[in-house]
Amino acid sequence: MNTPPRRAKRSFASAAPLLLLASASVASAAQTLSIGDMHSSYNRNIWWMSVAVIVMAILIFIGVSYALFYTVNKFREDKHTAEPDQFHGNNRLEQLLIGVPVIIVTIITILAARTMAIVNPTPADALHVNVTGAQFWWAFEYPDTPVTGGTVNVTNGNELVIPAGRQVAVTVTAKDVIHAFWAPNLGGQRDAIPGSKKTFQIDTDQPGVYQGNCTVLCGASHANMRFKVVALPKAQYDAFIAGAQAYKAPAPANSSEQNGYNIFMQGKASAAAAPCASCHRIQGTPAAGAVGPDLSYFGSRNTLGAGIWEGKAREAHIQPWIKNCPSVKPGCLMPVYEKLSDTDLADLEAYLLSLKLPESAAYWGKVPVR
Ligand code: CUA
């Protein structure tokens, strides 16, 4: 499914100057990132906190402006040519000037502490997902969902499937340099730091496809380090997890897929092509590499290159990607396979696209793009 370009929703929320300043309009082919386009309890809690502070700031502005204009007008020189009375020390005025700011700061502190107490704790029934940032893609692992008959958990690359209506506790780390995980419609942002694990919550009660992006400069393809969050109704989410847990890659169905399979698993010495399986995993096959993204249900995905291409554009880029990855994505760490023939490249594409989840477990096209 190829999604047409969308304009940012112009909501009252996104019109507020404070949020406009804070919302980054990171350009994407299909979706605009904005914290003003709120789809999560986190964003709504932060928004009401912001409204309270903005209202107080406006009241203070009006009060100070009134006092200023009143004073300037009352003591204008043309009215009062004599010098006004001088005085030193005014207990009442000093108490006001100290007391009022203390009250204002106390109110803001209480509001902030209350908001933090609401959005920070991980609920006991939260779904746990481990997120690992790498140059330049995202690994998503579901630690509570072991794969049938194996020791590994359900994993996915660059497409995070979550249930709508349930808090998702995201534990973020990185394996090379510092990245940052941010799905602005669904929650806050966390740095992904090698050796560190930080947990925070994202959530939404509106099923849909949401955009995410890396937000810390991490190298040549920082801007190409995107991801999708697909929030499904509970039943569809459960079907995805069940399908992913039980997934076994289908055997190659024809000679083209068989050739693709062979190159993937063993490489092709005559074309100086190393086995793809050294770096990538395909569930139900000997391929168990963990260097690059898990490709287990590649045929059921909709994005390529960490969200650079979607739908039809994705399919058009699979072969150029395999042939010379750094030429289509700057800084891509995958080796080049330039000596593979066009037939070999087409066969690899055919094999990868044959790796599909059962229709009941597939997650694209079932919820709207938001
Ligand atoms: Cu990863 Cu920027």
Side-chain angles (χ1 to χ4, degrees):
M1 185 183 64
N2 201 7
T3 48
R6 298 169 68 252
R7 272 176 296 161
K9 277 184 197 159
R10 283 266 159 232
S11 61
F12 170 66
S14 65
L18 187 81
L19 285 189
L20 264 189
L21 274 179
S23 67
S25 292
V26 181
S28 142
Q31 288 170 289
T32 301
L33 304 184
S34 169
I35 58 170
D37 190 10
M38 297 176 284
H39 291 275
S40 75
S41 61
Y42 176 94
N43 295 38
R44 286 189 287 269
N45 279 308
I46 299 290
W47 166 244
W48 285 116
M49 161 94 204
S50 306
V51 168
V53 174
I54 290 169
V55 167
M56 276 192 278
I58 291 172
L59 291 177
I60 292 167
F61 177 78
I62 292 171
V64 171
S65 301
Y66 175 79
L68 177 69
F69 283 108
Y70 172 82
T71 312
V72 166
N73 184 49
K74 181 160 185 192
F75 299 106
R76 275 207 333 254
E77 199 180 28
D78 60 349
K79 284 189 187 170
H80 302 272
T81 47
E83 188 176 334
D85 293 344
Q86 302 294 306
F87 65 88
H88 297 281
N90 183 323
N91 283 348
R92 200 153 163 239
L93 185 62
E94 285 169 17
Q95 282 159 2
L96 266 178
L97 289 180
I98 294 170
V100 171
V102 166
I103 291 170
I104 291 170
V105 171
T106 304
I107 292 173
I108 293 176
T109 304
I110 292 170
L111 282 176
R114 177 181 168 273
T115 305
M116 286 165 69
I118 293 172
V119 301
N120 281 344
T122 302
D125 62 346
L127 169 75
H128 288 264
V129 179
N130 296 335
V131 174
T132 305
Q135 287 176 315
F136 296 95
W137 59 282
W138 297 97
F140 302 120
E141 182 198 12
Y142 299 75
D144 301 328
T145 53
V147 167
T148 309
T151 53
V152 297
N153 299 310
V154 167
T155 54
N156 206 359
N158 304 315
E159 296 179 359
L160 173 57
V161 183
I162 63 169
R166 184 176 169 193
Q167 291 281 321
V168 180
V170 176
T171 300
V172 182
T173 188
K175 68 176 182 184
D176 38 36
V177 299
I178 298 176
H179 306 271
F181 176 95
W182 195 40
N185 310 106
L186 304 183
Q189 174 195 33
R190 283 295 181 285
D191 279 358
I193 302 170
S196 148
K197 288 184 178 178
K198 291 181 194 165
T199 300
F200 74 112
Q201 273 69 243
I202 60 172
D203 76 284
T204 182
D205 47 15
Q206 292 160 294
V209 178
Y210 300 92
Q211 177 75 29
N213 220 111
C214 178
T215 50
V216 165
L217 182 61
C218 55
S221 264
H222 156 65
N224 294 323
M225 194 172 158
R226 308 171 195 174
F227 59 94
K228 298 285 184 187
V229 181
V230 184
L232 298 175
K234 183 182 184 304
Q236 282 177 3
Y237 171 79
D238 291 344
F240 160 71
I241 286 294
Q245 282 183 294
Y247 181 82
K248 277 197 169 48
N254 52 48
S255 60
S256 171
E257 290 177 17
Q258 183 66 53
N259 184 42
Y261 175 90
N262 293 346
I263 298 172
F264 195 99
M265 299 302 161
Q266 287 126 37
K268 190 166 186 178
S270 62
C276 314
S278 313
C279 294
H280 296 281
R281 173 176 174 270
I282 295 176
Q283 198 167 308
T285 75
V291 176
D294 191 311
L295 299 178
S296 291
Y297 6 91
F298 183 86
S300 289
R301 294 204 199 140
N302 191 48
T303 62
L304 176 71
I308 308 182
W309 302 287
E310 298 178 42
K312 289 267 181 292
R314 166 200 194 234
E315 285 175 27
H317 283 88
I318 293 175
Q319 290 183 44
W321 177 279
I322 299 170
K323 189 171 184 179
N324 191 335
C325 180
S327 75
V328 291
K329 182 174 182 176
C332 177
L333 297 175
M334 191 168 113
V336 296
Y337 286 81
E338 282 187 311
K339 290 182 179 160
L340 284 179
S341 68
D342 288 350
T343 309
D344 287 341
L345 289 170
D347 291 349
L348 270 169
E349 178 186 351
Y351 175 63
L352 288 172
L353 289 178
S354 76
L355 303 172
K356 283 188 161 55
L357 286 165
E359 182 45 38
S360 62
Y363 52 89
W364 280 103
K366 295 185 174 173
V367 288
V369 176
R370 296 190 187 276

